[in-house]
Amino acid sequence: MKSTKWLFGVALIALGFTSCKDEKEAQAEKAVDSYVVYVDSVEKVAIEDAQKNWEGIDAVYQLRMSEAEANLANLKDSIKARERIIASRDRYEVIRTKMVVVAAPVVVDSKQQLRNALFGEGKIGDDMNFDWVNAGNIHGVYQTFIHTAEDNKDSYSREDWDEIKLMYEALDSRKNTVEKEGLSKEDNREIAGLKFKFAPMLKVNRMGAKSEEMKEAKE
């Protein structure tokens, strides 16, 4: 009789363990499914809408991911579950990258804005590389540079004129190289005319901007 009760007790304990284990596994599967479904839902949200609520979206994501990873040990097929988690995580990183690209405006400093205006968008960067200027386009480059400077001379600061002088000298240096690479006499003559008018204007306006800055500093 005692032996029967003992076996019955062991059976109840084993059943309890099995029930507990099944419950934990069910919770684990739910946690992983919840994580995967959440990433699926985020993918379907328009970028503009997601951007407005990104902090909340990401906070929920971090919670779902933590729960899913914490429950892996309770799954029989934890390898397959981990693969699902990794796949969803990779998809979410793609979404996050899109959010960062949308959220981060391109900031162009004043010097680069000036270079873009005088030479064209992105033609000249911090490296001051003029290799793209050749015998075929140098006349046009001088025209754009000088006419733009003339048209905007009243709006330039002393720092702007310093930068213009620096770029003008760099362009002249490039011209010395281009002359040896087949610059036509006609283009050379036209460039000389542009430079003849621009050089004194550069000097006067640069000095004027500097004097104005000193006057304002004293006041």
Side-chain angles (χ1 to χ4, degrees):
M1 186 66 177
K2 288 182 180 181
S3 177
T4 302
K5 288 182 179 180
W6 180 80
L7 288 172
F8 182 70
V10 170
L12 284 176
I13 293 172
L15 183 61
F17 275 127
T18 301
S19 177
C20 182
K21 187 175 181 180
D22 290 343
E23 186 178 340
K24 285 183 178 180
E25 186 163 8
Q27 289 177 348
E29 289 176 352
K30 184 177 180 181
V32 174
D33 288 341
S34 179
Y35 171 72
V36 173
V37 169
Y38 182 74
V39 174
D40 289 343
S41 66
V42 173
E43 278 186 320
K44 296 174 183 177
V45 178
I47 292 179
E48 294 79 8
D49 295 332
Q51 186 63 50
K52 296 175 184 177
N53 304 286
W54 185 247
E55 287 187 9
I57 290 173
D58 193 54
V60 175
Y61 169 82
Q62 298 298 335
L63 178 62
R64 298 284 174 88
M65 181 180 68
S66 297
E67 291 176 346
E69 291 182 338
N71 278 279
L72 276 175
N74 296 323
L75 289 169
K76 291 179 181 178
D77 195 351
S78 61
I79 294 177
K80 185 176 180 180
R82 184 176 293 280
E83 288 175 350
R84 292 180 66 201
I85 290 174
I86 291 173
S88 292
R89 185 175 62 202
D90 290 345
R91 284 160 49 210
Y92 186 79
E93 286 304 314
V94 172
I95 300 170
R96 190 201 300 278
T97 301
K98 290 179 181 179
M99 293 302 106
V100 171
V101 170
V102 172
V106 177
V107 179
V108 181
D109 62 36
S110 58
K111 283 187 177 182
Q112 188 59 53
Q113 288 177 343
L114 183 60
R115 294 168 189 156
N116 290 344
L118 294 168
F119 291 106
E121 193 74 26
K123 291 288 188 179
I124 297 295
D126 291 333
D127 59 358
M128 298 291 283
N129 188 329
F130 281 82
D131 289 350
W132 57 277
V133 178
N134 54 53
N137 65 18
I138 192 168
H139 182 201
V141 173
Y142 267 102
Q143 284 181 315
T144 301
F145 181 92
I146 291 174
H147 291 161
T148 300
E150 288 176 338
D151 292 342
N152 296 279
K153 62 181 184 295
D154 295 332
S155 64
Y156 292 143
S157 66
R158 181 185 63 79
E159 289 81 2
D160 290 335
W161 283 113
D162 287 345
E163 183 69 13
I164 290 170
K165 180 177 182 293
L166 179 66
M167 291 188 289
Y168 181 63
E169 291 172 348
L171 180 57
D172 278 348
S173 178
R174 178 60 181 170
K175 177 179 175 293
N176 293 335
T177 300
V178 170
E179 283 186 79
K180 303 171 186 177
E181 297 176 348
L183 179 62
S184 70
K185 291 182 179 179
E186 183 179 351
D187 281 344
N188 204 354
R189 190 165 49 248
E190 292 285 344
I191 292 170
L194 289 168
K195 286 167 59 63
F196 180 77
K197 291 191 300 181
F198 181 69
M201 190 204 81
L202 171 61
K203 185 176 181 180
V204 170
N205 281 275
R206 185 165 172 262
M207 290 176 63
K210 187 174 182 179
S211 298
E212 186 66 27
E213 187 178 86
M214 291 175 66
K215 181 181 177 181
E216 291 176 357
K218 289 179 179 179
E219 293 176 353

